Amino acid sequence: MAYADQEMSGSRVVSIVIVALIHVAVGYLLISGLAISAVKEIAERVTTVDIEEPEPPEPEEEPPPPPPEQEVAPPPPVAPPPPINVSVAPPPIRTQTNIPPPAPPALRIPPPAPAAPPAPPPAPPPPPSQARGVTPDGQARWTRRIIENYPSRALRREIEGTVGVSVTVGANGRVASCRVTRSADPTLDQAACDDITRYARFNPALDDAGNPTTGSWSTNIVYQIN
């Protein structure tokens, strides 16, 4: 038992020594690690300090040179006034008894006026007018044909009367239109305009130059049963 106790006490001592060494090593490591981090922080603070250099002052502008002095011209020389001659006695006055008549004014004769241009020759007189009205052509012939063409209806009824008509004659001498100006009976009125339009012939009217133109003509047609 004593030998065993000795061995156990020796191993315990060794264990205690080993444990103490381990604590020392751990403490050293902790201390050295803290020291290293502190040194790094101080180094960073030192290295990150910015030093601002002051800007150099701007150069001052030099004042402009003074303007050159203007030369003042000397005043012109003053000439002395000319001497004034004062006559003591006034000049003699001469009177003329006979005053000559004034000279006659100059006569200016104006140049003669230019001659008037000759008057233009008179215009020739216009030619005589050839205008005329409508005249019947062979009136007796076509009037007889109108009377012979007595309306049969008026004959059966024994209707008589005088019909006044007004016709418009064209440039060809034919009746262009007919208008009743005096009525006798509707049957006779219609027959008068129809027959005079169909049978009547005229010499057409003429204008001033003698050209055929439109005209008018009036007459009465008598319807009478013999």
Side-chain angles (χ1 to χ4, degrees):
M1 287 296 292
Y3 178 76
D5 291 335
Q6 290 177 1
E7 287 182 356
M8 287 179 63
S9 61
S11 62
R12 182 177 295 177
V13 171
V14 172
S15 298
I16 291 170
V17 171
I18 292 172
V19 171
L21 291 174
I22 290 173
H23 280 80
V24 170
V26 171
Y28 176 76
L29 291 174
L30 290 173
I31 293 170
S32 63
L34 291 172
I36 291 170
S37 62
V39 170
K40 286 183 178 181
E41 185 176 355
I42 293 170
E44 288 178 359
R45 288 182 180 179
V46 172
T47 55
T48 56
V49 173
D50 295 333
I51 299 174
E52 295 182 358
E53 294 182 359
E55 296 181 359
E58 295 182 358
E60 297 182 357
E61 296 182 357
E62 295 181 1
E69 296 182 356
Q70 296 181 354
E71 295 181 359
V72 180
V78 180
I84 300 174
N85 296 326
V86 179
S87 57
V88 179
I93 299 173
R94 294 181 180 181
T95 58
Q96 189 175 1
T97 306
N98 297 327
I99 300 174
L107 297 177
R108 294 183 179 180
I109 301 174
S129 175
Q130 301 181 21
R132 71 177 186 187
V134 176
T135 56
D137 182 12
Q139 181 178 5
R141 182 180 67 255
W142 51 260
T143 300
R144 185 174 61 253
R145 295 188 65 179
I146 292 173
I147 297 300
E148 291 175 354
N149 195 24
Y150 206 104
S152 58
R153 184 178 178 181
L155 283 174
R156 288 193 302 269
R157 296 171 56 190
E158 295 182 355
I159 298 174
E160 297 180 344
T162 300
V163 180
V165 294
S166 176
V167 295
T168 300
V169 180
N172 57 355
R174 304 290 297 271
V175 175
S177 62
C178 175
R179 179 173 59 88
V180 175
T181 58
R182 176 182 176 184
S183 176
D185 180 79
T187 303
L188 297 179
D189 295 347
Q190 185 66 38
C193 272
D194 291 345
D195 290 343
I196 199 170
T197 301
R198 182 183 307 168
Y199 301 122
R201 298 293 181 270
F202 296 91
N203 298 314
L206 301 179
D207 58 13
D208 292 338
N211 299 317
T213 185
T214 303
S216 60
W217 186 77
S218 299
T219 188
N220 293 323
I221 301 175
V222 179
Y223 288 95
Q224 185 176 3
I225 301 173
N226 296 328

